[in-house]
Amino acid sequence: MGERKVHYTTCIGCHGGCGVKVTTEDGVIVHIEGNPDSLTRGTMCAKGLSTIQHIDNPYRLKYPIKRSGPKGSGKWERISWDEALDTIEEKMKSAIKDFGPQTIAISQGTGRGYNRYTHRLARSLKTANIITPGYVCHSPRLGLFGLVTGYGRLYCDYHGWGGEFPKTQIMWAKQLEISSADSEMCNWFIQSLDYCKNLIIIDPRQTAYASRATLHLQPRPGTDSALALAMMNVIINEGLWDKEFVDNWTYGFEELKERVMPMTPERASEITWVPKEKIIQAARMFAIDTPGCIQVGSSIERQANCGYTIRAITCLMGLCGNIERPGSMISWVLPETGLIEDFFLELPLTDEMKSHIIGIDKFKMGAARTCNPDTMVKAILSGDAPIKVWLSVGGQQIVHMANTKEVVQAIEKVEFMVHCDQFMGPMAQAADIVLPSAHFLEMDDVYDMHPRFMIEAHNKVVEPPGEAKSNIWIFNEIGKRIVPELWFDTVEDCLDYQVKKGQGMNWKKFSEQLVSGCWGKDQVYYKYKTDYWKKGGGFPTPTGKFEFHSNKLEELGYDPLPLYREPGESPVSTPDVFKEYPIVMTSGYRQPFYFLGQYRNIPWLRSFMEYPTAQIHPNTAKKYGIKDGDWMWIESRRGKIRQKCRVFPGILEGVLMATANCFYPEEPPETYHGVFISNPNVLTSNDHLDPMYGSPDLTCLLCKIYPCKEEDLQENVFKTEEYGTVQQLGGGKTALTEKG
Amino acid sequence: MTKKVFVIDIKKCNGCHACQIVCKDEHVGNDWSPIAKPQPDAGQFWMELTERVRGTVPKVKVAYRPHMCMHCDNAPCIEACPVEGAIYKREDGLVIIDSVKCSGCRNCLDVCPYDAIFYNDDLNLAQKCTGCAHLLDDGWVEPRCADACPTGALKFMDEDEAKKLISKAEVWKPELKKQVKPRVYYLNLPGRFIAGTVYDPKAKEVIIGADCALTDAATGKTYNIKTDNYGDFWFEGLGKGEYSLQIVAGKKKETFKKLDTTLEDINLGDIAL
């Protein structure tokens, strides 16, 4: 046996946060498990536990490459880091000189540790045309929670640090245990269930926790705001609201009362398809059995009424006094190392920069410091947004944005694009230069968890393959070349800078102690009753109160109160379309072995569900002649895709739940890795957007379905060439079936 | 050495699949001979999470069950194995296919009542869950799957310590219990249910507190419950067999006869009373 060494670090296999213990033998990883001494108590999920297949994957990118054929041709040649960085420097400098810094766009995937670097680089270059998936995931919550808490973080208190656990928990369009987007929270959520009296699951389909829940509400996708308004209607009409909190600490109760009156449970039942009794009962449980919390899923933010829906849910929390009370919704006190976003917030967003943000004129909440991606696509296509340089890290805009066809057309028009990634994928195929990124076990960095009460260390365990580099190194190198005064000599300097607010803290020390956090007795509840936010008490809002009625939104031209709007396409809003496309479709089907577009190239994970799968009710399947396990066409007004059919009795008739964010790593580069085969965004529209955030209806639209014929599958797709160790599983497994 | 058992609480499992992945992490590409040779990259599931969906909208239940070698005390595989000592029972109760002695005859695959043995075509040998015996011998207190389970659903325990739990538990395929004596116990395995919603068609309201009496045709035993706030009644944890149901609310009455749960759970849907 060689020399064994144990390393401690932090997983970022999803948004991350779980403590990891890695054993190496002579510098090679031999064992990975959860770190029992971390706040996540040694638990990890399937994604993190299969890390070894990620690290050792033969398809990892090892060297910088540049395109040597037309876009999408898959022809590449290896170049040196110097050549890659020289080219990027020259392109960026000439774009700034000839066309202005706003012609540089910087894009990222969902927050995976690089948010700070994309934003700092953009701000230091003086562009605010940052493209992030935030507007369909988390930003609406941050912005609208921010209207009442100041900096926008309002999280479920699963911890019991204040002496109480949530008595009533609502999981709203969220499967924390499956999507694991915030895995550190998942562990705490599971533990807190031991103390939970009422678990209310709001999900269009049945799940393991819905089966055990006190109450399961199955709404028609896209109608959540009606549900929240009706719950408030019940709470107000039955006199169940928290009078002490509402009387002393809120603003606009009378207006809210007036607004929710028309949304009776009967009316909401017609809209949402949820029986009125269940709406009434959910409202009573949440109002009576306090404290309670609501875990909001990002499916709600993938809808064009997301702003008002989040507002409605926030008002529901406030109405029941479930704010800042132990076991309710908390805005956590930061660790001594401060707010990690200060790393880019310290660089100002000037009026000049703001004036060039694409979409700022329309989406005053969503496009305030990043651009509206859908507007950018339209603008590139119409020639109004001459983006000269696009630097992309991690994310797959081609996959997650609405209307794939237009996104690909727009991205192909961009003159110079760089993409940083660990593997080739749709965005890499559209790039001119692809830079190889390090895996989280191959880099030093600071991890920032969503609830922000702690930061953790990513410690380098092994060397990256070939010449792969961490994203922090890549961004620092680019920054150094163009605005050296705002970047750092070394990565370690940059890391020191990010933790410097901690007492006597530097990277080395932080790396050893693994975490800087504020928890247990150090956390502060009921901040509004103290001088914490405002002298004499109150919320950090213009009125000093929790705002049911938002003057800020009114000033921006929005309705100051929550309201219900039908989705852009629905049985109600477009009855003619509904005649031809009679199925309400959503794309919220998540599996515990994929994270968004990631991991279909990890054989162990892929083996759970080989092909993207959509759930439909047995009667729906029968009506359209589709059998369980068959390929089916799913068609909308924009296009058609195919997914495997899973006949599932736990979903309403006439509703289809598709798997989102799917491409096929094994498919050829010319097809952008098969992004048009099964990805639901081929079907979604980028024309009907949320007025505040510009979010499209990704999880509520209309479709029709029909079986795939044998000849439909004869095209040059699904001829899976040998790709790593992904093996055929005998016709493609769609589901886990019962044995014996 | 103390005897070990697996105790798996179906009610706690949420389908995260960590057990299945760590099994791969431990056994794919690693040679633990003579306990086990490497598991192939794909196609074998020594630990496999299975999903069960019962009922029809809106009365549907979803549950997950980890399926594995049951480490039977009267293991049919040991009996069927022609090579002396190639499949054996350890003192701790685990059943092991010796990866060196196994001749690859496939007899054990045919006789395993749980489909828990796989054939490795490249290595010409039978393979299955080892309970991570190589780790236990190295000082571990539990196999990887139990170690990785984040909900505490999957536990590897001393048989003595687990006595109380075992008394409430069932084995998979209970009809085989006496014959093969499995060492994997399941708590809260879902039984059948009969459910429905009672409403008053004139008032267009559900009926709360209607008396529901379910009689087991085989035993004559009757179970009584009332409809809840949503007009729902659920009889859960039933066996496979024939039942009759009577629903009474005030002067109204409805009877259902010959409700057969042998093949599936029964959702009677909306019942007008």
Side-chain angles (χ1 to χ4, degrees), chain A residues 223-345:
Chain A
T223 62
D224 304 82
S225 166
L227 192 55
L229 292 169
M231 284 172 72
M232 289 193 275
N233 175 298
V234 173
I235 290 166
I236 293 175
N237 278 325
E238 297 189 2
L240 301 175
W241 73 92
D242 184 326
K243 292 171 189 78
E244 193 277 330
F245 182 77
V246 170
D247 287 352
N248 296 313
W249 305 104
T250 67
Y251 174 76
F253 176 68
E254 288 305 320
E255 291 99 318
L256 178 75
K257 187 174 168 183
E258 196 184 319
R259 173 59 57 89
V260 303
M261 278 309 126
M263 192 57 83
T264 58
E266 289 77 13
R267 172 90 190 95
S269 180
E270 280 167 25
I271 295 172
T272 62
W273 304 350
V274 177
K276 66 171 197 270
E277 294 81 13
K278 292 200 175 182
I279 300 175
I280 294 168
Q281 203 63 19
R284 287 177 184 162
M285 280 179 191
F286 191 66
I288 295 169
D289 281 334
T290 58
C293 62
I294 303 177
Q295 182 65 248
V296 181
S298 56
S299 269
I300 283 176
E301 288 155 332
R302 295 185 184 120
Q303 297 172 357
N305 190 39
C306 78
Y308 292 118
T309 307
I310 301 286
R311 281 280 294 144
I313 293 172
T314 315
C315 289
L316 177 61
M317 297 167 184
L319 195 62
C320 301
N322 279 321
I323 296 285
E324 287 291 314
R325 179 179 164 182
S328 72
M329 304 299 297
I330 310 290
S331 179
W332 297 111
V333 177
L334 300 169
E336 61 161 10
T337 39
L339 185 66
I340 198 79
E341 279 88 354
D342 285 345
F343 182 68
F344 69 84
L345 290 173

Side-chain angles (χ1 to χ4, degrees), chain A residues 31-33 49 52 177 190 206 209 211-212 215 276 281 592 604 608 646 649 651 725 738-739, chain B residues 10-11 13-14 17 20 25 41 48 51-53 55 57 60-62 115 144 147 172 205 229-230:
Chain A
H31 185 73
I32 296 172
E33 64 176 308
L49 289 165
I52 198 110
E177 75 284 6
I190 290 171
Q206 186 64 239
Y209 278 138
S211 293
R212 293 165 215 169
L215 204 51
K276 66 171 197 270
Q281 203 63 19
W604 291 346
F608 288 124
R646 166 125 201 251
I651 189 166
T725 47
E738 192 168 19
K739 220 172 186 171
Chain B
I10 300 302
K11 224 173 171 175
C13 175
N14 64 21
H17 289 75
Q20 193 168 326
D25 185 48
D41 275 332
E48 182 172 15
E51 186 182 73
R52 182 161 166 200
V53 184
V57 162
V60 178
K61 296 277 182 194
V62 176
D115 284 335
R144 287 290 301 276
D147 179 61
W172 194 237
E205 289 285 348
N229 286 335
Y230 324 109

Side-chain angles (χ1 to χ4, degrees), chain B residues 247-259:
Chain B
I247 305 168
V248 180
K251 284 178 186 159
K252 295 172 186 171
K253 196 167 124 184
E254 178 70 75
T255 310
F256 294 86
K257 288 217 165 104
K258 296 203 171 167
L259 297 170

Side-chain angles (χ1 to χ4, degrees), chain A residues 53-74:
Chain A
Q53 285 210 321
H54 205 115
I55 294 270
D56 292 345
N57 199 295
Y59 292 86
R60 284 285 299 277
L61 291 168
K62 297 185 180 74
Y63 307 100
I65 48 176
K66 75 172 178 192
R67 196 156 49 76
S68 57
K71 279 200 180 195
S73 64

